[in-house]
Amino acid sequence: MRPSERVIASFGGRGDPVLLDGGQGETWVVGDVVLKPALDPELVEWLDQCAPAVSQDRLRLCLPLRSGHGERQVEGWTAFPRLAGQDARGRWTQLADVARAFADVWSEMAEPPFLRRRENPWERADHVAWGEAELDPADLTPTLRSLLGAQTPVSGRDQLIHGDLTGNVLLAPDLPPAVIDITPYWRPVPYSVAIIAVDAVCFNGAPADLLTTIDSAPDFRQYVLRALLFRMVTDTYLGIAQEGRYAVVIAWILGQTHGRTGGH
């Protein structure tokens, strides 16, 4: 799907649209404007109301633009400013710092009501990962059963975090990090870091010892377990059968769990 000339003109784009890598093959850049299929209207409204109160001294937040007529969406498209910077993937410690900074700058916000109403594979998987929903028995593989059985309570408090920072942070000299796709969840902060860690090891070739060095929370293993379940169950809901790509983290979780059970 390609944005029409009317959409491009409405948001002030200049030139021919160029398809960007990532963004599920649906993100286009036109000059200084990035166009994506329309976001959840409730998310857009919430950002419109709440984001202006958030300081951007520590982070640059990529927020939806208005059209020349004041609209947030035109013909099913949402527009964003094109921010300077390079993808932060590979700079995992800095990415974890961004996760903590994001949570910190939003720390005074109440839980957005629309989060509880979201219905998509990622949201459903998050609820399974946190024991708030059950996976269909037909989808419950032996590995998933073992992982779910390894869960113990965590101590962190729920607050607004970013649930998908990998690939959505840009770093540029002399500028704060930019968060280009705001995906809010209401969970403890180490969960945001754990998702980064799982993505790094499973999808980006980072070493497994990153799982022990990226965060100092005493119960961080449990957050990694939930992040692993989040990604694996999302795959299940999307019809992707690729359990093998999580093998390193699965072994790290279950090996640590079994070792602790057997030795203490």
Side-chain angles (χ1 to χ4, degrees):
M1 185 170 62
R2 176 186 174 112
S4 70
E5 291 185 5
R6 176 177 177 271
V7 170
I8 294 169
S10 294
F11 289 112
R14 296 179 181 274
D16 294 327
V18 177
L19 185 64
L20 290 180
D21 293 335
Q24 300 180 337
E26 298 177 321
T27 301
W28 299 77
V29 61
V30 189
D32 294 330
V33 176
V34 176
L35 294 166
K36 302 179 182 181
L39 300 180
D40 177 352
E42 289 189 297
L43 171 60
V44 173
E45 181 180 357
W46 176 77
L47 288 171
D48 201 34
Q49 293 176 352
C50 297
V54 176
S55 170
Q56 296 205 35
D57 292 340
R58 296 170 62 188
L59 296 175
R60 292 173 289 151
L61 301 178
C62 190
L63 302 173
L65 299 171
R66 289 189 184 273
S67 73
H69 296 289
E71 302 161 300
R72 289 295 190 189
Q73 299 181 7
V74 177
E75 293 183 7
W77 291 88
T78 305
F80 299 84
R82 187 180 187 184
L83 301 183
Q86 299 296 317
D87 190 336
R89 273 179 286 200
R91 300 167 73 170
W92 304 116
T93 300
Q94 286 178 269
L95 205 49
D97 288 341
V98 170
R100 299 181 190 103
F102 183 92
D104 191 41
V105 300
W106 291 90
S107 62
E108 300 302 317
M109 293 290 175
E111 181 180 7
F114 73 89
L115 292 185
R116 297 289 177 175
R117 296 193 289 268
R118 290 190 301 194
E119 279 290 337
N120 57 57
W122 294 269
E123 189 67 23
R124 293 168 61 201
D126 173 74
H127 288 309
V128 172
W130 284 88
E132 298 166 356
E134 294 186 359
L135 198 59
D136 190 301
D139 295 322
L140 194 59
T141 67
T143 300
L144 286 171
R145 189 185 302 276
S146 295
L147 291 170
L148 288 165
Q151 288 183 302
T152 59
V154 295
S155 58
R157 69 175 182 87
D158 289 344
Q159 66 172 86
L160 197 77
I161 65 165
H162 197 296
D164 191 25
L165 281 168
T166 307
N168 287 315
V169 173
L170 303 178
L171 301 177
D174 304 319
L175 290 172
V179 179
I180 59 173
D181 191 356
I182 296 178
T183 308
Y185 283 82
W186 192 254
R187 298 296 183 196
V189 178
Y191 182 54
S192 181
V193 178
I195 293 170
I196 294 168
V198 169
D199 290 348
V201 173
C202 295
F203 308 144
N204 293 276
D209 62 8
L210 181 71
L211 300 169
T212 62
T213 60
I214 197 170
D215 195 279
S216 61
D219 50 359
F220 188 63
R221 182 183 297 113
Q222 283 294 318
Y223 288 105
V224 173
L225 171 54
R226 285 160 173 77
L228 176 63
L229 284 165
F230 172 51
R231 289 301 192 210
M232 291 180 67
V233 175
T234 297
D235 282 359
T236 297
Y237 288 139
L238 292 173
I240 302 171
Q242 296 186 19
E243 197 169 278
R245 63 180 176 172
Y246 300 103
V248 171
V249 182
I250 292 170
W252 185 81
I253 288 289
L254 295 181
Q256 293 282 354
T257 302
H258 294 160
R260 186 173 64 253
T261 303
H264 295 81

